[in-house]
Amino acid sequence: MRAIITAGLMLATALTPAMAQEGRLVLYTSQPQTDAQQTADAFMEQYPDITVEWVRDGTTQIMARFRSELEAGTPQADVLLIADVVTMEGLKAEGLLLNYPEADVSAYPEGLHDEDGAYFSTKLITTGIVYNTAATMIPESWYDLTKPEAQGQIAMPSPLTSGAALIHTVTLTENLPEGWDFYTALAENGAQASGGNGGVLTAVSGGEKLYGMIVDYMPIREAANGAPVEFVFPTEGVSAVTEPAAILASSQNQENAKLFIDFLLSEEGQELAVSQGYIPARDGMALPEGYPDRSEINVLNYDAANALANEQANRDRFGEIFGQ
Amino acid sequence: MARFAPVALAIVAVGVLAALPLGRLMATALVGNAGLDFAPLIERLMRGSTQRAMFNTLDTAVMGAILALLIGTPFAFFVALTDVPFRRLQGFMLLLPLMIAPQVTALAYMQLLGPSSALLGTLGLAPAPGTPNPLLGRGGIILLYGIQHAPIVFITLRAGLTALPRDYFEAARAAGAGPWRVLATVTLPLMRPYFIAALALAFVSGVGNFGIPAFLGLPVNYLTLATLIYQQLASNGPTVLAQTAMLSLLIAAIAIVGIAIQSLAQKRESFAITRGAPLRLSLGGWRWPVAGIGLLLIGVMLVLPMLALLTTSLVPTYGVRLSFDTITLDNYVEVLARQASTIRAFTNSFYLSGLAALILALLAVPVALGLRGIPMRTRQALHGLLDLPYALPGIVLAIACILLFLRPLPLIGSLYNTPWIILVAYLMRFAALAVRPVDAALGQIPPQLGEAAAAAGAGGMRRLLTITLPLAAPAATAGALLVFMSAFNELTVSALLWSSRNETLGVILFSLDEAGLSAQASAVAVVTIAVVVMLLLALDRLAPRLPAGVLPWR
């Protein structure tokens, strides 16, 4: 009798479609520590029987970690939540991502997600200009950074180490009429490109540099805390990364991973992003404090597939201009 | 049988702790699809960026080691051999830079000298906004290597100096030599192996250092091999593991050169000294001036940047001036109360570094003994091999560990995603710190002691327990302390090896700093330093019950 029940239960389990709702989920993310903890907590509140184990590191380090695991043949992660689409495109091209075309993306603008459902945008993180309030010239345009007042005073993240910075570079070179000449002018004006966005914030709020290219939420958050910095959305427009999430084809907990993607895309998930100070990707949601009206933020377009194809060439070109 | 057991243990230990990770790296770097392939390595070597980074690595590591020697030596002499006032305090304070992560040292100094320096600002001396930090680039890196590694010199030299018996000194004095002459003709020659060991340790520490060149070099594109590897990892293509493995082989090669020079210099040394009453010179009227200069130097080197760190941790966010209106404990509340991960990280770091120190302390004496039973050339090679994981940047060792331990192993299963992989990496990385001092101590036990005991009928085990162990114990304990302090503050090994709930302090600091939250990072750093200082004070209280010479500052 017991054997029959057990067999029946096993059959039932096998036939029940999807929706595990228990077990574990391994998240690899590049979100800041606090944000990652909040995201995991909020998800576990909805699904108390799923344990989220998250590992946080910079996008590049997380990818190095994932690649090492892949090399050894035992990838651990179920879901990736990282800064940029270019990396995701690369993973997709290698067949490392699981398509999830059933995800509900009806509340999102066209073209924000991958058309096959390989990855989903969760936020808009724009890159604009930060300045120290001690600066005399208040920048309004990207071209202000090439003025003599900004000479030797610009810090920017390097596309050689930051995925978001690479997309920013590609976006600006595609959209500004000068293209790469704009970056040549920056280099000639003594701009310093290195590391990620955190370093730019430190340099500008510490006063070692007066201007910087940086992602929006960092200076907006810290200005609210009293840091001597202001963030500017330049008149020509800003670049944006979308912090995409994707399920890995090697995931051991694909059903839980789908629930997690659903959560990130849901209204609750997006409200969490707003409370953390990010521009939500979902339509019709209010922006966090410190941002202008959404209609005033002009996001420049760029071609992700093209960016992937020319990734190395773009890096090399940048390295050449900045002597790296 | 009993004679061969330590030799076998030593060979196994060196094999597991050093040859294994290095072999795995070499395999990744040199074995292509069609078997052994040196072409990519040679291509890599020919690149301008690689050669520049190699030169910069050598340059900063050598100059930094010399500076560390210049800073550490006088302190070691005065603290170990004279009656200078505040001896213990000076020794104690001088150890602190070693217990502070290189990134924190760099952060503290940048904050001290930058335009937003709260300290300089109060004095009206802060540079104007828009002034680049004077520490950026080669000079700053060398300066901070010198300061960061001076304690290694201090501890190593002091261990040798306290072993110097008064007899030699008195004999020389009786023969009519003045104190300075005795120092130059008796003490210094006796100390030579310790000098070379100290210089070599400081050099390899510089070669493998990531935090300081990352903070002070990367922003101005002054790259060392360690930061070049970091940049390569960041470019994150599929070839990145092979590329970093190649670059890490280059670092290994530089470290081998350093170690080989050390071996050559030590070749002719074969003396032994007996333990006697330690030397204590009287400085007379110079006591207070010497103490004053020492304390002033320590103040500049250590206290000022610590104050800079403290002031930064007390403002709401980096860049805000400290005043009665802005002072806040919010950063401490955030990292200690709201972020559960910080407390966890403290526990994890304590646990893992303590365990690593304990295991290595227990292993150090038999391993060093075993190595001494091996013919000279082979022994030096094995010592060199053991030094390598310490010389490699932590991030490289971490990759080797991932490649080694990701797949489940028989008996132990997969270590990946457990704290044990971090422990194993610590054992590999810091083994040299534990074995070197013990080896130096063993080298100075005269064989006559053992022979006399044997003649009196003492068996091998008895001689080990009554002669060798007591004489080597202080060095083993000093080594264990070095291991603990280094592991407690390391950032780069665990940066790749940590997993959910197994984060270390280094990981937390790195994360906060990467997110631009310097004020919170400073708060974590201040608490770390406070905890380590309290721990050391507790040890200091226990000192009367510990064997003499165990605590490096007493």
Side-chain angles (χ1 to χ4, degrees):
Chain A
M1 187 61 203
R2 182 178 287 173
I4 297 173
I5 294 176
T6 316
L9 278 177
M10 280 171 69
L11 193 66
T13 322
L15 291 180
T16 310
M19 305 306 121
Q21 305 228 356
E22 58 177 18
R24 58 202 281 268
L25 177 79
V26 183
L27 169 69
Y28 277 22
T29 180
S30 63
Q31 291 174 293
Q33 197 93 2
T34 334
D35 301 352
Q37 181 68 56
Q38 286 170 356
T39 311
D41 286 347
F43 177 74
M44 287 193 283
E45 204 171 297
Q46 269 195 23
Y47 300 98
D49 294 328
I50 302 177
T51 313
V52 178
E53 294 169 23
W54 55 271
V55 173
R56 190 229 86 90
D57 219 322
T59 300
T60 50
Q61 285 90 341
I62 277 284
M63 291 317 295
R65 194 185 177 102
F66 174 68
R67 294 274 177 202
S68 324
E69 293 173 8
L70 216 55
E71 162 120 332
T74 47
Q76 307 280 321
D78 295 309
V79 175
L80 277 183
L81 178 54
I82 54 176
D84 67 290
V85 169
V86 174
T87 307
M88 288 294 192
E89 278 284 328
L91 292 171
K92 184 189 172 191
E94 287 179 64
L96 295 172
L97 300 183
L98 179 83
N99 288 341
Y100 179 33
E102 303 86 12
D104 177 16
V105 294
S106 52
Y108 285 79
E110 255 335 89
L112 200 55
H113 305 303
D114 175 60
E115 50 188 18
D116 299 323
Y119 55 83
F120 302 93
S121 301
T122 62
K123 293 156 193 156
L124 282 183
I125 300 177
T126 73
T127 293
I129 299 174
V130 61
Y131 65 89
N132 188 299
T133 46
T136 45
M137 187 260 300
I138 309 296
E140 287 169 1
S141 149
W142 290 114
Y143 297 109
D144 288 337
L145 295 182
T146 60
K147 285 184 178 168
E149 291 98 314
Q151 185 166 21
Q153 296 295 345
I154 307 153
M156 55 198 269
S158 168
L160 304 181
T161 47
S162 158
L166 181 63
I167 289 181
H168 176 68
T169 308
V170 171
T171 311
L172 279 198
T173 50
E174 275 180 13
N175 284 279
L176 297 181
E178 288 78 7
W180 282 100
D181 289 345
F182 171 68
Y183 274 85
T184 311
L186 278 181
E188 279 166 2
N189 211 21
Q192 205 173 72
S194 66
N197 286 281
V200 175
L201 180 66
T202 310
V204 177
S205 55
E208 282 165 29
K209 298 281 168 190
L210 294 178
Y211 308 100
M213 286 185 181
I214 197 171
V215 291
D216 51 24
Y217 69 95
M218 280 185 184
I220 291 179
R221 266 188 199 176
E222 295 314 313
N225 283 331
V229 291
E230 288 288 340
F231 184 78
V232 177
F233 292 87
T235 46
E236 296 87 4
V238 288
S239 74
V241 290
T242 56
E243 195 149 89
I247 305 171
L248 290 161
S250 53
S251 162
Q252 303 289 309
N253 306 289
Q254 296 187 351
E255 298 314 323
N256 289 344
K258 287 177 180 173
L259 290 176
F260 189 76
I261 298 288
D262 292 344
F263 168 76
L264 291 177
L265 299 178
S266 71
E267 205 164 337
E268 293 96 319
Q270 292 289 297
E271 261 161 24
L272 179 68
V274 174
S275 73
Q276 291 167 341
Y278 298 100
I279 306 175
R282 197 181 169 100
D283 270 343
M285 302 196 63
L287 262 51
E289 221 165 290
Y291 286 84
D293 196 70
R294 190 161 189 159
S295 59
E296 288 172 31
I297 303 175
N298 171 23
V299 177
L300 301 168
N301 282 321
Y302 85 104
D303 185 343
N306 197 24
L308 175 68
N310 297 319
E311 189 177 345
Q312 198 52 51
N314 287 331
R315 281 212 176 102
D316 289 347
R317 183 129 190 211
F318 184 91
E320 207 176 291
I321 292 175
F322 279 83
Q324 292 178 2
Chain B
M1 186 59 216
R3 263 187 62 209
F4 292 112
V7 173
L9 175 76
I11 291 173
V12 170
V14 174
V16 170
L17 293 177
L20 198 63
L22 292 168
R24 188 69 180 83
L25 275 179
M26 273 178 141
T28 308
L30 298 178
V31 181
N33 293 330
L36 210 55
D37 185 4
F38 285 96
L41 179 66
I42 291 166
E43 195 261 335
R44 181 81 238 177
L45 255 175
M46 297 313 290
R47 281 197 213 170
S49 60
T50 311
Q51 292 176 357
R52 261 200 313 278
M54 269 175 77
F55 175 78
N56 292 346
T57 305
L58 274 173
D59 179 29
T60 50
V62 168
M63 300 306 285
I66 291 172
L67 186 61
L69 200 67
L70 291 179
I71 298 173
T73 306
F75 279 105
F77 268 88
F78 284 114
V79 169
L81 296 185
T82 71
D83 58 351
V84 66
F86 300 116
R87 255 194 327 274
R88 218 187 283 165
L89 179 72
Q90 293 191 31
F92 188 83
M93 305 255 287
L94 204 65
L95 281 182
L96 285 175
L98 196 62
M99 286 170 289
I100 299 161
Q103 277 92 332
V104 175
T105 310
L107 189 70
Y109 271 87
M110 299 262 289
Q111 290 177 2
L112 176 66
L113 296 177
S116 72
S117 167
L119 272 170
L120 296 183
T122 317
L123 300 172
L125 292 174
T131 312
N133 203 297
L135 286 175
L136 290 173
R138 175 176 178 265
I141 295 176
I142 291 172
L143 178 70
L144 291 204
Y145 276 179
I147 291 170
Q148 185 87 19
H149 300 142
I152 295 181
V153 172
F154 173 75
I155 290 178
T156 315
L157 291 186
R158 191 187 167 282
L161 287 169
T162 44
L164 281 185
R166 195 197 291 258
D167 321 10
Y168 287 73
F169 189 79
E170 281 171 354
R173 289 302 300 266
W180 291 110
R181 196 178 149 89
V182 177
L183 209 61
T185 58
V186 178
T187 313
L188 283 181
L190 280 173
M191 285 299 294
R192 212 164 90 189
Y194 288 94
F195 269 116
I196 296 166
L199 204 59
L201 272 177
F203 173 76
V204 290
S205 302
V207 171
N209 194 309
F210 170 75
I212 288 170
F215 263 73
L216 302 181
L218 272 178
V220 288
N221 287 314
Y222 183 89
L223 295 182
T224 63
L225 282 172
T227 47
L228 182 65
I229 285 176
Y230 173 81
Q231 272 208 340
Q232 290 294 317
L233 264 178
S235 78
N236 103 55
T239 57
V240 79
L241 283 170
Q243 294 278 318
T244 51
M246 280 175 211
L247 287 172
S248 57
L249 287 187
L250 290 184
I251 293 192
I254 292 187
I256 288 171
V257 171
I259 292 158
I261 292 171
Q262 176 203 356
S263 314
L264 274 179
Q266 276 188 321
K267 218 171 192 168
R268 270 162 284 148
E269 308 295 337
S270 64
F271 62 90
I273 49 179
T274 45
R275 211 167 178 70
L279 193 61
R280 187 67 78 204
L281 298 173
S282 176
L283 289 176
W286 286 99
R287 282 182 73 215
W288 288 100
V290 167
I293 294 171
L295 288 174
L296 188 74
L297 264 175
I298 288 176
V300 171
M301 263 172 18
L302 188 71
V303 178
L304 280 184
M306 287 309 114
L307 276 179
L309 211 53
L310 185 67
T311 47
T312 303
S313 75
L314 291 173
V315 296
T317 182
Y318 188 58
V320 177
R321 277 281 151 80
L322 184 67
S323 71
F324 283 112
D325 297 330
T326 58
I327 192 164
T328 171
L329 287 174
D330 258 8
N331 294 309
Y332 290 92
V333 174
E334 175 65 33
V335 295
L336 293 181
R338 282 181 218 138
Q339 292 177 11
S341 50
T342 320
I343 299 291
R344 242 185 357 245
F346 267 106
T347 323
N348 291 340
S349 281
F350 249 116
Y351 188 66
L352 291 170
S353 351
L355 216 51
L358 185 69
I359 293 173
L360 285 177
L362 293 177
L363 270 179
V365 178
V367 167
L369 263 181
L371 285 171
R372 295 208 143 249
I374 294 171
M376 194 60 169
R377 277 240 175 122
T378 324
R379 186 210 305 178
Q380 283 176 344
L382 288 177
H383 264 298
L385 196 57
L386 202 59
D387 282 347
L388 280 182
Y390 184 63
L392 294 178
I395 206 158
V396 173
L397 184 66
I399 288 175
C401 281
I402 293 176
L403 293 172
L404 277 175
F405 297 118
L406 188 60
R407 282 180 217 271
L409 295 170
L411 295 178
I412 50 176
S414 172
L415 292 184
Y416 192 70
N417 256 338
T418 71
W420 310 123
I421 194 170
I422 301 180
L423 179 67
V424 173
Y426 283 178
L427 292 179
M428 290 171 170
R429 185 160 173 81
F430 300 120
L433 286 184
V435 173
R436 282 273 167 197
V438 173
D439 183 58
L442 289 181
Q444 310 232 301
I445 301 175
Q448 292 86 349
L449 276 184
E451 286 157 14
M461 188 51 83
R462 196 181 160 85
R463 293 204 300 274
L464 180 71
L465 289 178
T466 55
I467 297 172
T468 316
L469 271 184
L471 287 174
T477 321
L481 262 176
L482 273 176
V483 171
F484 178 82
M485 296 185 296
S486 311
F488 192 68
N489 278 297
E490 74 79 32
L491 301 193
T492 45
V493 175
S494 46
L496 275 187
L497 295 181
W498 73 286
S499 45
S500 177
R501 306 192 69 80
N502 294 322
E503 56 277 81
T504 65
L505 275 175
V507 172
I508 299 287
L509 259 171
F510 209 79
S511 285
L512 291 173
D513 200 74
E514 209 178 37
L517 301 170
S518 305
Q520 285 184 29
S522 304
V524 174
V526 168
V527 177
T528 314
I529 294 167
V531 168
V532 175
V533 170
M534 279 191 289
L535 180 82
L536 288 176
L537 287 175
L539 266 178
D540 192 59
R541 295 296 297 270
L542 282 177
R545 295 184 205 177
L546 298 173
V550 163
L551 299 179
W553 60 89
R554 288 186 76 102

